Amino acid sequence: MSRVAFLLLVPLGAVLMMTPADVPAAQPAAEDVRFKNLFQTYLDDEFRRHPAFATQQGSHEFDDQLDDLSPEARAKDIARIKVLLESLATDIDFKKLSRGAQIDYEIWTHSLRYALWSSENDNRFEYDPRTYGEFISDSVFILLTQSTLPRERKVENAAKRIAHIPKVVAAAKASLKNPPKILTEVTIKRNLGAISFYEKDIYEFAKETPGTEPLATPCKAAVKALKGYQEWLEKELLPKSTGEWRLGKEKFAKKLELELDAGLTADEVVKIAEAEADRVEQEMYYVAKQLWSKLFAGKPLPPDDKAGRRATIKAALDELGKDHGKPDTLVEDAKKTVAAIKDFIRAKKILTLPEPDNCQIIAMPEFQRGFSAAYLNPAPPLDPKANSLYAVAPPPKDWPPARQETFFREYNSAMLQILTVHEAYPGHYVQLAYSNRHPSLVRKVLWSGSFAEGWAVYTEQMMLDQGYGDGDLSLRLHQLKFYIRAVLNAILDHKMHCANLTDEEALELLVGRGFQTEAEAVGKIARAKQSSTQLSTYFVGRTAFYRLRQNVQRKRGDTFDLGKFHEDVLSHGTLPVKYLPELVK
């Protein structure tokens, strides 16, 4: 998924909801209350120390402030986490907790251990300059776009928060060592977007007249600081950006275990993915073969061997890809996909859609581009009536026309429908709206990427299986293409960080085996260098949902109700997928 989040020092690990049998009675167990109060105290302290995190979670008490990101402040954060982990083992009697609270306890302690491991082995404040951009621009953007506070108050808070940007720049200069070159290059482009945001775009989002107070003065100071930062990035940091972006086999294996929390090793994930890629490619061939005579009347089907089957799939996708929009219509094209998808979900009783619908489709701001073509930033869990943002990114303006054309062949009319299913209905937007309803504070602020991405990928096939598109083979072929992308993501993730896969080899994997356009493949390779383990969450999560669905449907037999199953699954929050078999009977 492509959610913009302030991961800070505590990785967003997982969320869980209680089963109906575990829902606390009028007077919950004393140990459950102790645990709940302890987490509340912890979270209050986190919000006070990390205002950007508080805003992202929907707590607006500190919207006028910004984090202290100095090395000294971050060292104190780590020390507090170590003390907290030790005290939790003695302050809470695990055996006296209800099962629901026990899983909450496991989620919280897991996220704390992940934070400690990351600080020692994968410290993004030292190697990833993009991190500081989350505080420089994202923290103000979400304050203005994803809050239910009165507009005037949001503007006042934004003005005060912007005044702290020079301190963030100073912290970046003091902390960054020798980051990988690609991360510095992306930061340089994003920082230009941040400068543009504070020069003009912010007034549009704030609904203020350009150049007026209270934004004008702090924005001018921010622009000055960011222009100086731009010069530092280009002239000082870039020349010494010689760091290694590959995590290495040992660290990757441990980080993947912590990220997935699914009981799978790195070697197991890539082995399962390799087998699944072969299966999906065969299915794509069957669909492409059925399309052949309609797309290429009179032209003989290529030979039925490995090369011929891939040629058949590629030719069909190339021809279907010609039906696409333009850079200036991308957002409107995405909006046009929504009505039919929502109507289908209601008619087929896939699940109950959130009402009112607070999902807005926007063009991705320039300071967030360079990682993915789309994302869903959900309403904050503590401010659930705020807007959710489904953002799509047009290709960069400096791309030549031929490369822009390949982008739109990738995100053509059929693929845009699959993308909207994944990001919004019934994918990320719907799932995270369900997740925000649960009263458990642990489950509201900690979440599992494998659950979120797995659900979104699961819905792509499920919607077509239930009849969306009335059997349109173009939609089916693109759904399979989108799915094999998720499968190959896991393979790419592993081999880029563990097996020294070259860019040329990665390009062959994505273009030759995944049938991606060159522009999409180049972007995905860049993304693999900018992150580690996240690309594996799509496939692992989808596999868990698919297996759960099959097992539950077999056991329920004729009584199986798809809509009720979906709502049951989503009622448990965005939890580690390993808990699903226990919770969904």
Side-chain angles (χ1 to χ4, degrees):
M1 156 173 113
S2 314
R3 169 182 173 138
V4 179
F6 300 98
L7 300 182
L8 303 180
L9 290 165
V10 183
L12 298 180
V15 182
L16 168 70
M17 293 186 175
M18 299 178 185
T19 61
D22 289 328
V23 174
Q27 294 183 350
E31 203 65 11
D32 282 21
V33 173
R34 280 171 48 79
F35 176 77
K36 178 182 177 181
N37 292 339
L38 189 61
F39 185 77
Q40 180 69 67
T41 300
Y42 157 79
L43 198 60
D44 289 343
D45 188 48
E46 280 297 293
F47 285 170
R48 181 177 60 84
R49 296 177 184 277
H50 300 293
F53 176 59
T55 301
Q56 190 249 347
Q57 295 301 320
S59 176
H60 300 298
E61 184 179 355
F62 306 104
D63 279 358
D64 60 343
Q65 301 172 37
L66 204 49
D67 304 44
D68 180 355
L69 301 178
S70 66
E72 296 78 15
R74 290 188 283 105
K76 291 179 180 178
D77 281 331
I78 296 302
R80 282 197 306 276
I81 293 174
K82 290 179 179 179
V83 171
L84 178 58
L85 267 174
E86 292 177 0
S87 65
L88 276 174
T90 56
D91 291 348
I92 297 296
D93 188 334
F94 184 81
K95 293 181 180 179
K96 291 183 180 180
L97 294 172
S98 66
R99 179 54 185 150
Q102 285 180 342
I103 303 177
D104 275 0
Y105 178 96
E106 293 170 359
I107 291 167
W108 186 14
T109 54
H110 178 88
S111 72
L112 293 173
R113 288 193 296 271
Y114 193 177
L116 287 182
W117 183 89
S118 296
S119 70
E120 297 171 0
N121 298 279
D122 194 29
N123 192 332
R124 69 197 193 104
F125 288 96
E126 294 183 358
Y127 86 90
D128 189 353
R130 297 174 308 163
T131 300
Y132 298 91
E134 296 172 8
F135 300 90
I136 287 169
S137 46
D138 290 10
S139 70
V140 175
F141 177 72
I142 66 166
L143 186 158
L144 293 172
T145 58
Q146 292 187 277
S147 167
T148 56
L149 291 179
R151 185 189 68 82
E152 293 77 9
R153 186 177 170 191
K154 289 191 289 188
V155 172
E156 291 174 0
N157 286 334
K160 293 177 181 178
R161 175 167 283 182
I162 294 165
H164 293 277
I165 288 177
K167 294 180 181 179
V168 176
V169 170
K173 292 180 178 180
S175 302
L176 290 167
K177 301 187 183 306
N178 61 328
K181 183 178 180 182
I182 186 171
L183 299 186
T184 303
E185 291 173 337
V186 170
T187 303
I188 287 171
K189 291 181 180 180
R190 286 188 175 182
N191 193 60
L192 290 174
I195 292 171
S196 177
F197 176 69
Y198 287 115
E199 285 181 331
K200 56 180 181 178
D201 296 341
I202 189 172
Y203 296 100
E204 179 182 348
F205 287 110
K207 297 180 173 59
E208 291 279 294
T209 302
T212 58
E213 300 296 350
L215 292 175
T217 297
C219 282
K220 287 179 182 177
V223 168
K224 181 179 179 181
L226 292 176
K227 286 184 176 179
Y229 185 44
Q230 186 74 16
E231 184 175 0
W232 181 82
L233 288 169
E234 294 176 355
K235 295 184 178 180
E236 295 190 39
L237 188 63
L238 185 60
K240 62 180 182 181
S241 294
T242 58
E244 177 57 68
W245 56 262
R246 297 185 200 271
L247 199 57
K249 189 170 184 178
E250 183 177 345
K251 286 185 178 180
F252 180 89
K254 182 60 179 177
K255 185 178 179 181
L256 189 71
E257 175 190 331
L258 290 165
E259 176 65 33
L260 298 179
D261 195 16
L264 289 171
T265 68
D267 288 341
E268 288 171 338
V269 170
V270 75
K271 183 179 179 180
I272 297 169
E274 288 279 9
E276 181 70 346
D278 290 340
R279 186 196 68 79
V280 178
E281 185 178 338
Q282 189 67 31
E283 192 170 345
M284 291 179 75
Y285 174 64
Y286 294 148
V287 177
K289 190 162 61 169
Q290 293 178 68
L291 279 163
W292 187 266
S293 62
K294 296 179 181 179
L295 297 175
F296 309 105
K299 187 175 180 179
L301 189 72
D304 187 3
D305 53 29
K306 186 175 182 179
R309 290 190 290 270
R310 288 187 173 178
T312 302
I313 298 169
K314 184 179 184 306
L317 287 169
D318 286 347
E319 186 65 24
L320 295 169
K322 294 176 181 178
D323 180 15
H324 61 72
K326 299 177 181 179
D328 55 354
T329 66
L330 183 60
V331 173
E332 288 304 315
D333 290 343
K335 289 180 179 179
K336 290 176 182 177
T337 65
V338 169
I341 292 173
K342 289 174 65 176
D343 286 345
F344 178 84
I345 291 171
R346 294 190 186 99
K348 299 297 183 180
K349 298 181 180 179
I350 302 298
L351 45 63
T352 303
L353 289 170
E355 292 292 345
D357 187 342
N358 293 322
C359 183
Q360 294 188 350
I361 303 177
I362 65 168
M364 191 183 299
E366 289 190 25
F367 56 78
Q368 294 175 340
R369 297 179 188 178
F371 189 73
S372 62
Y375 70 69
L376 189 286
N377 208 18
L382 302 185
D383 192 4
K385 294 183 179 179
N387 293 324
S388 293
L389 303 180
Y390 166 20
V392 291
K397 295 177 181 178
D398 58 356
W399 279 12
R403 192 174 180 188
Q404 291 202 19
E405 172 67 15
T406 65
F407 174 90
F408 283 101
R409 285 188 176 231
E410 185 77 27
Y411 293 97
N412 53 61
S413 298
M415 190 64 91
L416 264 183
Q417 295 179 65
I418 305 300
L419 188 66
T420 298
V421 167
H422 178 106
E423 298 291 350
Y425 312 95
H428 290 318
Y429 165 64
V430 172
Q431 182 263 309
L432 290 162
Y434 270 75
S435 185
N436 279 351
R437 296 172 182 173
H438 197 270
S440 169
L441 203 53
V442 173
R443 298 158 187 156
K444 283 182 181 294
V445 301
L446 304 177
W447 59 283
S448 165
S450 296
F451 186 106
E453 297 298 355
W455 166 261
V457 177
Y458 159 80
T459 63
E460 299 159 15
Q461 177 181 330
M462 178 273 297
M463 285 284 283
L464 268 64
D465 288 349
Q466 295 306 117
Y468 177 73
D470 294 325
D472 183 346
L473 291 178
S474 175
L475 269 179
R476 177 61 78 180
L477 188 59
H478 282 91
Q479 176 263 310
L480 289 167
K481 178 182 175 180
F482 212 48
Y483 176 48
I484 202 171
R485 177 191 299 187
V487 179
L488 294 179
N489 278 350
I491 298 172
L492 181 73
D493 195 22
H494 186 280
K495 292 189 175 182
M496 289 290 276
H497 287 278
C498 303
N500 295 322
L501 192 72
T502 66
D503 285 9
E504 292 73 20
E505 291 169 335
L507 196 66
E508 172 57 30
L509 172 71
L510 300 179
V511 174
R513 199 172 180 187
F515 308 99
Q516 297 176 22
T517 61
E518 185 173 345
E520 174 67 21
V522 169
K524 184 56 63 69
I525 293 168
R527 179 173 172 178
K529 294 177 181 179
Q530 295 176 56
S531 67
S532 52
T533 72
Q534 193 273 336
L535 284 175
S536 296
T537 61
Y538 299 81
F539 172 64
V540 172
R542 185 268 181 189
T543 300
F545 276 103
Y546 186 79
R547 289 176 176 173
L548 178 74
R549 158 80 181 275
Q550 301 305 309
N551 291 336
V552 172
Q553 189 167 352
R554 289 188 188 101
K555 291 176 181 177
R556 294 184 184 176
D558 293 340
T559 66
F560 179 76
D561 183 305
L562 184 63
K564 290 180 179 178
F565 167 74
H566 288 154
E567 293 181 5
D568 185 8
V569 168
L570 298 189
S571 73
H572 299 290
T574 316
L575 69 160
V577 293
K578 69 182 183 183
Y579 293 115
L580 283 172
E582 172 186 352
L583 297 171
V584 183
K585 298 297 185 181

